[in-house]
Amino acid sequence: MAIVRYHDPFRDLALLQDRMSRLFGDAFRRDDDITAGGTWIPPVDIYESARHELVLVAELPDMTREDIDITVENLTLTIKGEKKLPGEVKEEQFRRIERTYGRFSRSFTLPNTVDAGKVSAEYKNGVLTVTLPKHPESKPKRIAVHHD
């Protein structure tokens, strides 16, 4: 029996968007998210914490820390990696493959308020959390209003 791979139409759209962005420059870039390619695109959430840090949370199931590469360069955060087929099962033994495997790369343009030297990452239970602290001078300051 042949292997039946699950076809993800959204992946095709993301790859098309990436190709169009490269062809026409940054005009078609969505939310400063650059999809650099690969065979799958892990989903992410990005939010600002109560401590005024940016936090990126990515779902990277069935991977190890060694499979993940994170870099910050020129205000661009890039997360790359590879999700491998289970080693105990040979590819010819599969009857159906619906989960996604292979290489991925995601890049995000960071605001200039992020302190790139203090970025940290944690990987736990298949979830990668990248914390991006802001420069102290960019954090909100409370201004007292004086009474005459």
Side-chain angles (χ1 to χ4, degrees):
M1 176 181 276
I3 295 175
V4 179
R5 293 194 185 263
Y6 173 74
H7 179 73
D8 182 4
F10 295 107
R11 178 180 157 265
D12 294 340
L13 286 173
L15 291 172
L16 176 63
Q17 179 186 7
D18 178 53
R19 290 182 185 133
M20 294 295 289
S21 294
R22 278 191 249 148
L23 181 63
F24 293 107
D26 294 341
F28 293 102
R29 188 178 297 171
R30 185 187 74 228
D31 297 327
D32 290 357
D33 175 13
I34 309 163
T35 306
T39 56
W40 68 291
I41 302 169
V44 300
D45 293 333
I46 302 172
Y47 63 90
E48 187 167 343
S49 71
R51 295 175 24 179
H52 300 288
E53 299 171 321
L54 289 178
V55 179
L56 180 142
V57 180
E59 290 182 6
L60 304 174
D62 300 328
M63 296 181 68
T64 65
R65 288 175 175 85
E66 294 75 30
D67 296 330
I68 303 167
D69 181 40
I70 304 167
T71 58
V72 176
E73 184 178 358
N74 296 328
L75 293 177
T76 301
L77 170 72
T78 302
I79 303 170
K80 296 179 184 179
E82 182 175 7
K83 183 176 166 188
K84 299 172 185 153
L85 282 168
E88 66 274 1
V89 182
K90 295 180 179 164
E91 191 167 345
E92 61 269 9
Q93 291 176 294
F94 280 98
R95 306 248 175 167
R96 184 186 228 23
I97 297 177
E98 291 187 357
R99 298 189 306 156
T100 309
Y101 299 93
R103 296 185 181 278
F104 71 89
S105 179
R106 303 255 345 234
S107 295
F108 303 90
T109 302
L110 301 175
N112 58 5
T113 56
V114 169
D115 187 348
K118 295 185 178 175
V119 173
S120 63
E122 178 184 24
Y123 183 68
K124 184 176 181 183
N125 297 328
V127 177
L128 174 69
T129 303
V130 181
T131 304
L132 305 140
K134 293 183 180 182
H135 292 287
E137 60 272 10
S138 67
K139 292 182 181 176
K141 296 176 183 111
R142 187 166 199 95
I143 309 295
V145 177
H146 298 286
H147 182 67
D148 283 336

